[in-house]
Amino acid sequence: MRAFKAHLRGLAPYPYKKEEAPVKLDQNESPLDLPGGLKEEALRRMARLPWNRYPEIHAEGLRRRLSALLDWPEEGIVLAPGSNLLILALSLAAEEVLDLVPSFPHYAHAAKVAGTPYRAVPLLEGFALPLEALLSAFTGGVLFLPNPHAPTGALFPEEALWGLAERAKEVEGLLVVDEAYREFAGTDFSFLARQNPHVALLRTFSKAFALGGIRAGYLLASPEVAGVVREVLPPFVLPAHTAAILEVVLENPGYVEKGVALVRAERERVYGELLRHPTWRPYPSRTNFLLVKTPDAEEAFRHLLARGVLVRRQDRYPGLEGCLRVTIGRKEEMDAFLRAAFGVAYA
Ligand SMILES: *Cc1c(COP(=O)(O)O)cnc(C)c1O
């Protein structure tokens, strides 16, 4: 095959395999769907749209709304069908991608697809941020930093992020703080990016906003950075129906807090229960999932699946030997998980 660039040969597929199970705790989705009334309102607005017409070129209406809600300049906002696409656009634009290991696998995958030079710095003991190593490795390019971190669930300290933001300015690189799980941690790192054009934030509607199926996320950045990302993406990239749905949820965001409160309460309950497990060990989490160390991830995964509970294996990542990732769902779902998990000990 001579059609494609050599670096795309042997590209590993994204590590996801679909499995069916009654209790689905494998993709960090919201356990609750969007409230029915909001869905109906979104459908009414979609029906009123002219489907023969292109949407706005850069989602101007939504950017105006987000700008007012977040007090962020409109020119510094980029909307896309999923923050994964923003990660790809940033990786295409980047001189180099700097990553952590383990981390969200799409950063490495996007850099590889883009053919962008890539380096990763390992997390320290206890999943701590390797600040010194990152400061010296960060010599330009784009550093992707999920905070709270995926897939460990840890929240990195603010002081460390200040240091990285300063370093980004010094080397004229870009620190991208991926805030996919911020609602579950109650954090907001926009203060870092307001004064420093070398910091950008990624946010998604896929987790706390319960819109994983809709595909939408946004970047908050300086007008200069946002301008490059907008031009790397194709024009008219955000579909009109997606924009209509986002308008409705931004006008009625009350449901988000309810879902987040439920997830946080279940997360703490399940964490506490797992501390009593004879062989499994949960790590503290500020997200909507728990990372759990088991003596044998494959066996634990199969045991849970045989009892109708689907989780995600993480044991192929360096430093995560034996680990499973369990999305926090509704109480009944977590009861089913706990019953199955404690069944392991006596099996
Ligand atoms: C889930 C997740 C996202 C969301 O990606 P979308 O494409 O917006 O669904 C982004 N970053 C991290 C770290 C995630 O875990």
Side-chain angles (χ1 to χ4, degrees):
M1 183 67 154
R2 299 277 309 277
F4 299 140
K5 295 187 182 77
H7 78 266
L8 293 174
R9 282 182 211 135
L11 200 65
Y14 192 77
Y16 175 72
K17 183 166 164 279
K18 189 173 167 63
E19 302 249 19
E20 298 291 342
V23 179
K24 188 177 183 312
L25 306 177
D26 68 330
Q27 281 190 289
N28 296 348
E29 296 151 324
S30 163
L32 306 175
D33 197 353
L34 194 67
L38 298 190
K39 266 192 179 172
E40 280 157 27
E41 177 56 22
L43 286 170
R44 276 194 289 276
R45 290 197 201 180
M46 282 159 62
R48 284 202 297 268
L49 291 170
W51 290 16
N52 56 325
R53 302 296 178 198
Y54 276 90
E56 290 178 303
I57 182 164
H58 295 305
E60 279 74 8
L62 271 171
R63 278 163 60 211
R64 253 192 314 279
R65 190 175 290 279
L66 278 172
S67 168
L69 276 173
L70 305 170
D71 184 26
W72 196 271
E74 245 173 270
E75 320 80 72
I77 302 175
V78 188
L79 278 134
S83 48
N84 276 326
L85 195 59
L86 293 163
I87 292 165
L88 179 60
L90 285 160
S91 301
L92 280 164
E95 276 199 12
E96 181 185 39
V97 166
L98 188 58
D99 194 3
L100 293 165
V101 59
S103 197
F104 184 49
H106 189 58
Y107 308 138
H109 187 79
K112 200 170 272 180
V113 168
T116 301
Y118 171 89
R119 281 183 300 153
V121 177
L123 290 181
L124 302 177
E125 197 60 32
F127 305 139
L129 191 73
L131 183 59
E132 290 312 312
L134 272 181
L135 288 173
S136 55
F138 196 12
T139 51
V142 173
L143 165 57
F144 286 111
L145 190 88
N147 202 35
H149 181 257
T152 66
L155 185 71
F156 299 132
E158 203 176 298
E159 310 82 72
L161 269 77
W162 275 114
L164 289 171
E166 280 311 301
R167 180 68 179 162
K169 192 188 273 177
E170 204 177 287
V171 300
E172 298 186 63
L174 183 69
L175 166 64
V176 177
V177 183
D178 185 342
E179 296 196 289
Y181 300 100
R182 61 177 284 267
E183 292 87 352
F184 306 102
T187 51
D188 175 352
F189 280 87
S190 59
F191 64 88
L192 277 181
R194 284 186 196 278
Q195 308 295 329
N196 184 344
H198 297 277
V199 179
L201 306 171
L202 273 173
R203 293 185 175 174
T204 181
F205 289 96
S206 300
K207 309 282 161 63
F209 278 82
L211 293 177
I214 300 308
R215 311 304 301 121
Y218 60 96
L219 179 80
L220 298 178
S222 72
E224 189 189 341
V225 166
V228 170
V229 173
R230 272 197 295 274
E231 294 314 317
V232 168
L233 291 171
F236 313 103
V237 76
L238 196 79
H241 54 272
T242 305
I245 295 166
L246 296 186
E247 256 178 38
V248 171
V249 302
L250 291 177
E251 286 166 24
N252 304 276
Y255 74 96
V256 174
E257 208 172 306
K258 261 187 238 160
V260 167
L262 178 146
V263 164
R264 281 186 181 188
E266 278 304 298
R267 178 186 73 200
E268 295 314 308
R269 178 177 78 94
V270 174
Y271 176 78
E273 293 287 335
L274 283 177
L275 288 177
R276 287 199 278 272
H277 197 283
T279 55
W280 293 12
R281 179 172 148 231
Y283 294 98
S285 167
R286 300 292 300 273
T287 62
N288 66 343
F289 60 84
L290 286 171
L291 188 72
V292 182
K293 195 167 185 80
T294 75
D296 182 335
E298 166 153 29
E299 191 192 304
F301 175 86
R302 302 228 158 274
H303 174 94
L304 292 172
L305 193 57
R307 282 149 189 81
V309 181
L310 177 62
V311 299
R312 191 81 157 263
R313 283 177 65 171
Q314 300 290 318
D315 55 304
R316 292 178 196 91
Y317 298 109
L320 300 188
E321 293 75 19
C323 286
L324 298 177
R325 192 192 69 191
V326 184
T327 302
I328 303 299
R330 296 189 309 270
K331 180 168 187 309
E332 316 83 82
E333 296 175 306
M334 300 325 287
D335 284 341
F337 163 74
L338 286 169
R339 273 195 305 275
F342 277 86
V344 167
Y346 314 106

